[in-house]
Amino acid sequence: ARHLPFHVAVINDEISPDFDHACHVVANDFGLHSIEIRSMWHKNVADLNDQEIAEARRIVAKYNLTVSDIASPLFKTAFPGGETAPGAKVDAFGAKFTFDRQNEVLERCIHLARSFSTPRIRCFDFIRLADRQRFLPAIHEQLRKTAERLAKDNLILLLENEQTCNTATGAEAAAALA
């Protein structure tokens, strides 16, 4: 991984809810230098308090890791006015932030990115809608505004494609990014 032109990271809770153990595995068993943080100690990253953030930072430093990005629950919620597509059940990893709380989630993620010295915040583009084409212009506008907001703080918005969200495929990701 040291010789690659990009960073290889693992989402911490894919290994364990115990953040120290996850970091140990990433650093010592996998030999990686980066970790993506999503949830720890049975809490979504956006719900961590400042004391828990400080403890997580201590653990990251203990294993000489960097945080690749904040794997946030940003926009992993229903989009207002639309009907959820059949089967679009979403695992939010302990996050229960409704649409009206997304600005709060965004500001919290900015705080987390600064706390963990990473320029990247991952988001989604809402739970997949039955009539997604009708709502895509508004969804894309939300993403554009969010990316512009983050750019003011020298942060980068990452969009994850996921089957249960409005960007599920590579083709849909290309269209969203365009």
Side-chain angles (χ1 to χ4, degrees):
R2 290 179 190 222
H3 306 291
L4 296 173
F6 50 85
H7 297 281
V8 176
V10 177
I11 300 173
N12 71 290
D13 60 17
E14 296 283 338
I15 297 169
S16 173
D18 178 333
F19 191 59
D20 189 279
H21 177 69
C23 289
H24 173 84
V25 170
V26 167
N28 297 320
D29 297 345
F30 296 167
L32 299 176
H33 303 283
S34 296
I35 191 162
E36 182 176 359
I37 56 174
R38 179 171 56 194
S39 66
M40 57 191 75
W41 309 307
H42 303 286
K43 286 179 85 169
N44 187 279
V45 68
D47 286 323
L48 297 177
N49 63 41
D50 287 342
Q51 182 180 5
E52 291 164 328
I53 292 169
E55 176 62 10
R57 288 182 59 196
R58 184 193 68 73
I59 293 168
V60 166
K62 172 181 170 183
Y63 292 101
N64 199 29
L65 294 170
T66 61
V67 174
S68 63
D69 65 282
I70 304 302
S72 82
L74 185 62
F75 304 142
K76 199 166 190 180
T77 189
F79 192 76
E83 181 182 329
T84 301
K89 191 174 183 181
V90 174
D91 183 353
F93 292 91
K96 294 177 178 61
F97 299 105
T98 56
F99 180 83
D100 61 329
R101 294 188 62 204
Q102 294 307 295
N103 283 336
E104 173 190 340
V105 174
L106 176 60
E107 293 304 316
R108 187 71 184 149
C109 290
I110 291 169
H111 173 70
L112 288 161
R114 288 180 181 141
S115 296
F116 287 101
S117 300
T118 182
R120 292 174 287 284
I121 298 171
R122 184 207 58 197
C123 76
F124 299 89
D125 62 351
F126 304 96
I127 298 171
R128 195 162 184 96
L129 297 169
D131 185 14
R132 65 183 280 283
Q133 290 298 327
R134 183 173 137 220
F135 292 92
L136 282 180
I139 290 169
H140 292 164
E141 179 64 12
Q142 180 75 50
L143 293 173
R144 186 189 62 74
K145 285 181 179 178
T146 303
E148 288 175 353
R149 164 67 182 90
L150 291 179
K152 290 177 183 176
D153 287 316
N154 294 316
L155 298 172
I156 302 164
L157 184 66
L158 307 175
L159 175 63
E160 180 171 335
N161 58 308
E162 181 177 306
Q163 289 298 113
T164 60
C165 292
N166 289 295
T167 295
T169 66
E172 290 172 357
L177 294 173

